[in-house]
């Protein structure tokens, strides 16, 4: 059995984290904050504060875990209030509700000063956000990993400041592999198919590969595969969803399905369902991330290993990375207090504590060093600086992501790969008109 990730991560909160957006979500909401307000109207909206004057700002944060998220932000708010002279009010909202609630806030002209969410580009396109030159110090900007700067940049300016990250890898059941006579992790798609067949042939309801192309996160599963076959969602400014590489990728997934090497009905299987199948010991392989490892370690039922995802095109393994954002809304009088928020959050003892307790991965160069002795994280850390993300820097991505979540599974049925990806390509192109 692998060394416990719980030990490596000082109490990782994996059970809640499995349904995250970045990584996922949780349940519950809360508020925190205190001290006197510097707002002219006392609303806590950052209004009325001038340069050097105490100002109240509000953070709306997504809940990653019931045991850590609110506790961290409560402590952070207290430290912020004591050290900056400003006041931070915090509202923590479940991932189940945060999209709807924050959309309503913004539509009603009641946006928070800082918003923790998994999309930012549409707000940047509407000129609602501060860019990094306005609220991040040079020290902070230089410390954030280049890959997150790249995907947090819209129209030449950096707006999407990362709070934490995750990266994916191939999890495999070492006992099933040994029983099936498979020597180690596959490094090519041909080897993956052979391993999946050997595990399936064991019978006893075992499946070779747990494939989730259901609506929860179909775009994430497909991303991991297409990135490892020379594919992409976009090429520059152009959408390439139905590229030959992507069609070939989906044809391979359909082949695995048609030949019975996956679970039944992967088109309706969500990521959480695939994880449950792997946790039951009945799946040979699944794409997972560090919170899944934490849950497996807690349960102790599956002897598993983690390896880089195999390549379909003969190149080095790529990882699908995910991050969520701490974006800052422009408001009269709040800029100095917002800058103070980021100066504090990106201090290593703050950002890395939050990431460590939530069970995720770093977003800074100093974070890579901080986590470098965590043996169980090396497969992720080695590839994180070059991780590939979905095109969150495109304001239309959220709409296209939803279409992908709802429709990618159709490629495994009668509609087939080409027609399904053609339809998504048309959706993407029409969204840009």
């Amino acid at each position: 059995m692998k060394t416990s990730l719980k030990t490596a991560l000082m109490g990782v909160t994996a059970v809640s984290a499995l349904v995250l957006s970045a990584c996922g979500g949780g349940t519950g909401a809360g508020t925190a904050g205190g001290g006197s307000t510097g707002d002219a109207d006392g609303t806590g909206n950052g209004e009325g504060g001038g340069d050097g004057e105490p100002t109240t700002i509000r953070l709306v944060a997504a809940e990653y875990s019931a045991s850590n998220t609110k506790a961290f932000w409560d402590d952070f708010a207290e430290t912020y209030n004591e050290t900056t002279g400003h006041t931070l009010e915090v509202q923590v909202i479940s991932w189940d509700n945060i999209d709807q609630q924050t959309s309503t806030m913004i539509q009603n002209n009641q946006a928070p000063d800082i918003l923790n969410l998994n999309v930012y580009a549409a707000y940047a396109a509407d000129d609602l956000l501060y860019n990094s030159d306005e609220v991040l110090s040079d020290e902070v900007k230089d410390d954030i990993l280049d890959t997150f700067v790249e995907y947090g940049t819209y129209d030449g300016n950096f707006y999407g400041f990362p709070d934490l990250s995750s990266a994916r890898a191939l999890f495999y059941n070492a006992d099933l592999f040994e029983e099936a006579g498979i020597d180690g992790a596959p490094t090519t798609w041909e080897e993956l198919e052979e391993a999946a067949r050997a595990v399936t042939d064991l019978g006893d309801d075992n499946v070779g590969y747990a494939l989730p192309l259901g609506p929860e996160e179909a775009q994430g599963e497909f991303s991991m595969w297409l990135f490892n076959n020379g594919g992409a969602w976009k090429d520059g400014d152009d959408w390439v969803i139905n590229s030959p590489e992507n069609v070939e990728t989906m044809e391979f997934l359909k082949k695995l399905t048609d030949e019975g090497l996956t679970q039944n009905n992967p088109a309706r299987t969500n990521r959480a369902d695939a994880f449950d199948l792997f946790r039951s010991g009945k799946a040979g392989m699944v794409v997972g991330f560090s919170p899944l490892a934490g849950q497996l370690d807690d349960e102790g039922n599956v002897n598993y290993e983690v390896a880089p995802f195999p390549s379909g095109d003969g190149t080095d393994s790529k990882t699908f990375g995910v991050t969520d954002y701490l974006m800052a809304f422009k408001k009269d009088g709040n800029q100095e207090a917002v800058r103070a928020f980021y100066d504090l959050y990106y201090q290593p003892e703050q950002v890395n504590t939050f990431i460590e307790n939530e069970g995720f991965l770093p977003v800074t160069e100093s974070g890579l060093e901080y986590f470098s002795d965590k043996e169980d994280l090396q497969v992720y850390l080695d590839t994180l600086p070059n991780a590939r993300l979905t095109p969150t820097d495109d304001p239309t991505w959220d709409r296209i992501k939803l279409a992908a979540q709802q429709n990618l599974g159709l490629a495994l049925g009668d509609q087939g790969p080409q027609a399904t990806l053609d339809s998504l390509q048309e959706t993407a192109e029409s969204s840009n008109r």
Side-chain angles (χ1 to χ4, degrees):
M1 187 68 62
K2 293 177 66 63
T3 301
S4 172
L5 192 70
K6 194 172 185 181
T7 300
L9 287 182
M10 292 171 49
V12 62
T13 52
V15 175
S16 296
L18 287 175
V19 290
L20 299 186
S21 141
C23 312
T27 58
T31 59
S36 60
T37 177
D39 296 21
D41 59 4
T43 61
N45 289 329
E47 304 294 341
D51 289 344
E53 297 180 8
T55 304
T56 295
I57 60 173
R58 183 165 59 103
L59 163 70
V60 171
E63 184 184 65
Y64 292 91
S65 67
S67 59
N68 179 71
T69 304
K70 185 178 182 298
F72 172 83
W73 286 120
D74 283 356
D75 289 344
F76 181 91
E78 184 176 350
T79 301
Y80 176 90
N81 300 346
E82 291 174 351
T83 60
T84 70
H86 304 296
T87 298
L88 178 66
E89 296 178 343
V90 177
Q91 181 179 6
V92 177
I93 302 176
S94 163
W95 276 107
D96 295 336
N97 305 315
I98 194 168
D99 285 329
Q100 179 180 351
Q101 290 192 32
T102 56
S103 292
T104 300
M105 291 176 192
I106 294 164
Q107 289 168 6
N108 292 337
N109 200 29
Q110 296 177 341
D113 299 87
I114 308 286
L115 175 59
N116 174 206
L117 203 61
N118 57 0
V119 292
Y120 75 91
Y123 300 131
D126 288 340
D127 197 29
L128 298 178
L129 304 180
Y130 286 116
N131 66 47
S132 61
D133 291 339
E134 296 169 308
V135 292
L136 296 189
S137 68
D138 289 340
E139 181 181 7
V140 167
K141 284 189 287 188
D142 290 345
D143 197 28
I144 296 175
L145 292 172
D146 289 344
T147 192
F148 298 121
V149 174
E150 176 186 351
Y151 287 94
T153 296
Y154 170 75
D155 198 25
N157 289 303
F158 180 28
Y159 297 97
F161 313 138
D163 65 330
L164 47 69
S165 71
S166 73
R168 309 298 165 87
L170 183 73
F171 283 55
Y172 66 96
N173 185 314
D175 290 340
L176 288 180
F177 267 44
E178 182 178 3
E179 185 179 352
I182 307 164
D183 185 18
T187 60
T188 66
W189 287 8
E190 181 180 2
E191 291 177 356
L192 184 145
E193 181 181 354
E194 292 173 354
R197 193 178 308 279
V199 170
T200 302
D201 286 347
L202 292 175
D204 196 25
D205 296 325
N206 290 306
V207 300
Y209 182 83
L211 174 62
L213 281 186
E216 178 192 351
E217 208 210 20
Q219 87 288 351
E221 177 74 15
F222 188 50
S223 292
M224 190 67 164
W225 286 89
L226 68 87
F227 291 153
N228 281 284
N229 197 39
W233 292 93
K234 292 185 73 176
D235 183 5
D237 293 332
D238 298 326
W239 290 96
V240 291
I241 299 173
N242 63 344
S243 69
E245 295 86 355
N246 291 355
V247 172
E248 180 183 58
T249 296
M250 189 59 80
E251 287 173 343
F252 183 80
L253 297 180
K254 181 170 170 54
K255 178 184 179 184
L256 293 181
T257 303
D258 290 346
E259 296 187 5
L261 306 184
T262 69
Q263 78 285 1
N264 292 328
N265 201 9
R268 303 305 304 169
T269 300
N270 286 327
R271 179 181 64 175
D273 301 321
F275 286 176
D276 286 346
L277 184 60
F278 190 82
R279 288 169 47 227
S280 74
K282 291 297 185 180
M285 294 169 284
V286 71
V287 168
F289 59 162
S290 53
L292 173 60
Q295 189 168 17
L296 290 165
D297 290 341
D298 282 344
E299 295 167 348
N301 297 324
V302 177
N303 180 19
Y304 72 98
E305 297 289 344
V306 184
F309 196 79
S311 170
D313 62 357
T315 61
D316 291 340
S317 175
K318 315 294 190 305
T319 190
F320 167 48
V322 182
T323 190
D324 295 326
Y325 303 100
L326 287 166
M327 67 201 80
F329 283 79
K330 295 179 182 179
K331 294 185 180 182
D332 290 342
N334 75 342
Q335 185 172 0
E336 181 184 326
V338 165
R339 176 184 282 267
F341 172 93
Y342 290 116
D343 282 344
L344 180 61
Y345 179 73
Y346 284 110
Q347 292 298 310
E349 65 270 19
Q350 295 289 342
V351 62
N352 292 325
T353 295
F354 180 61
I355 290 169
E356 186 170 46
N357 289 347
E358 295 289 10
F360 286 99
L361 300 177
V363 293
T364 60
E365 295 285 353
S366 57
L368 286 179
E369 182 177 354
Y370 178 88
F371 286 96
S372 62
D373 64 343
K374 312 298 184 186
E375 182 179 349
D376 282 14
L377 298 182
Q378 288 309 307
V379 68
Y380 312 105
L381 297 176
D382 290 346
T383 55
L384 188 61
N386 297 313
R388 298 190 179 186
L389 280 67
T390 53
T392 54
D393 55 340
D394 191 308
T396 65
W397 168 245
D398 205 34
R399 188 181 317 151
I400 296 156
K401 177 184 73 173
L402 179 61
Q405 289 171 322
Q406 297 296 325
N407 295 296
L408 274 173
L410 298 175
L412 304 180
D414 293 340
Q415 181 167 296
Q418 185 72 62
T420 299
L421 298 184
D422 285 346
S423 177
L424 289 173
Q425 177 74 17
E426 173 59 30
T427 298
E429 291 176 349
S430 64
S431 296
N432 283 346
R433 292 170 190 162

